[in-house]
Amino acid sequence: MSKSDKTAKPDEAYDEAYDEALPRLQLALVKMQQQALANGEKVLVIFEGRDAAGKDGTIQRITEHMSVRATRVVALSKPSDVELSQWYFQRFVSHLPAGGQFVIFNRSWYNRAGVERVMGFSTPADQEDFLREVPLFEQMLVGSGIRLVKIWMDVTKSEQAQRLAERKNDPLKVLKSSPLDAFAQPRWDDYSAARDEMLRRTDTVLAPWVCVKADHKKTARLNVIRHLVNTLAPPPIAKTVEAPDPEVLFQFEIAALTDGRLCN
């Protein structure tokens, strides 16, 4: 497949390649988790991204064959009145991984820098405190032995519009819908500005962001799994999996805000 085809819609040949690659990559994930269990490793993967960026489907493929007991997907609802009165990070702490656990946050504390900012669910002072504190918080997590991976999934405005429309029209996707979906397109530019500031201020050496071009769901899924294996697995396992395609998944850098790699 040529480079120009990598963001195109899948054809039959590509679907066959995906169907061949996915089980092989999932097997690498299983082997990786076996080692993590044996070594008592604590793994935390954070998925963030625009509405309908493909987080749910990617997480499903990651966890499909992993240990039910040792794997958790955390997708918290809006905070209660009691939680609103607590330290902001407090409600997330109880969900952090213990030894041998693989935890995925499907959205996380970064809600404060995204939807809360755009929708006015927290004050500008709260948002500024968060952006100042989160690098320190994540530094403590990494210092405690947690292996932290942060993934931003990005889609174009037109692709998001198509996916949101599918949610409305497909009864099997109705549970993916949210009242906030109605604001995703009208406030696209606000979400872009929030994303840019979040990535710029919370990308650190200890807790870097990787960004994924996710218009092509299957390409995104394969590259995310490759990244996880290459990042988290011991070398004998990691070397069996090719590196992610840098045109699909790339380490965040400031230049990405203006050079077209992120959707505006």
Side-chain angles (χ1 to χ4, degrees), residues 14-251:
Y14 185 83
D15 282 348
E16 291 178 0
Y18 172 83
D19 291 341
E20 182 279 327
L22 182 61
R24 176 172 55 83
L25 293 173
Q26 289 175 324
L27 177 59
L29 283 172
V30 169
K31 292 179 178 178
M32 179 189 78
Q33 189 173 41
Q34 286 178 308
Q35 290 296 309
L37 284 166
N39 298 330
E41 294 179 6
K42 298 176 286 186
V43 176
L44 175 61
V45 181
I46 289 176
F47 275 91
E48 294 288 345
R50 295 185 187 269
D51 291 333
K55 298 179 291 296
D56 292 352
T58 301
I59 291 169
Q60 181 182 348
R61 273 63 179 190
I62 291 168
T63 60
E64 187 172 7
H65 300 292
M66 297 179 77
S67 167
V68 174
R69 293 182 178 179
T71 307
R72 285 188 286 118
V73 177
V74 179
L76 299 182
S77 58
K78 67 180 183 180
S80 66
D81 290 342
V82 171
E83 288 171 331
L84 286 171
S85 71
Q86 296 173 340
W87 176 48
Y88 177 69
F89 295 100
Q90 189 167 336
R91 75 186 190 120
F92 300 98
V93 170
S94 63
H95 299 283
L96 295 173
Q101 292 185 341
F102 189 103
V103 175
I104 295 176
F105 278 8
N106 185 352
R107 298 198 183 274
S108 66
W109 42 79
Y110 283 103
N111 275 346
R112 175 135 295 179
V115 65
E116 288 192 20
R117 168 176 162 165
V118 173
M119 300 301 298
F121 295 156
S122 57
T123 68
D126 290 334
Q127 296 150 23
E128 180 61 29
D129 287 344
F130 169 80
L131 289 170
R132 185 181 64 253
E133 293 172 358
V134 71
L136 301 175
F137 177 66
E138 292 176 352
Q139 180 180 350
M140 288 189 290
L141 297 185
V142 175
S144 74
I146 290 176
R147 304 190 68 185
L148 176 60
V149 177
K150 301 191 301 189
I151 299 172
W152 172 267
M153 300 190 71
D154 214 46
V155 291
T156 59
K157 189 175 184 179
S158 59
E159 180 66 20
Q160 184 193 61
Q162 179 177 326
R163 294 181 187 180
L164 291 175
E166 289 173 356
R167 286 183 180 181
K168 288 184 178 180
N169 299 323
D170 186 342
L172 292 178
K173 295 183 179 181
V174 67
L175 294 178
K176 290 188 174 185
S177 297
S178 160
L180 295 178
D181 287 352
F183 299 95
Q185 291 272 296
R187 300 194 180 178
W188 176 272
D189 291 342
D190 295 332
Y191 275 108
S192 293
R195 174 204 62 195
D196 291 356
E197 184 171 13
M198 181 196 77
L199 292 174
R200 180 173 57 82
R201 296 184 60 180
T202 65
D203 178 72
T204 65
V205 173
L206 289 177
W209 282 100
V210 295
C211 303
V212 184
K213 294 181 179 181
D215 271 20
H216 192 311
K217 290 182 180 181
K218 292 183 177 181
T219 299
R221 292 168 187 167
L222 296 180
N223 279 279
V224 167
I225 297 175
R226 289 174 185 137
H227 174 67
L228 293 178
V229 175
N230 276 268
T231 301
L232 298 171
I237 298 172
K239 71 180 183 181
T240 67
V241 171
E242 60 271 30
D245 182 343
E247 293 190 6
V248 177
L249 185 149
F250 56 92
Q251 199 87 21

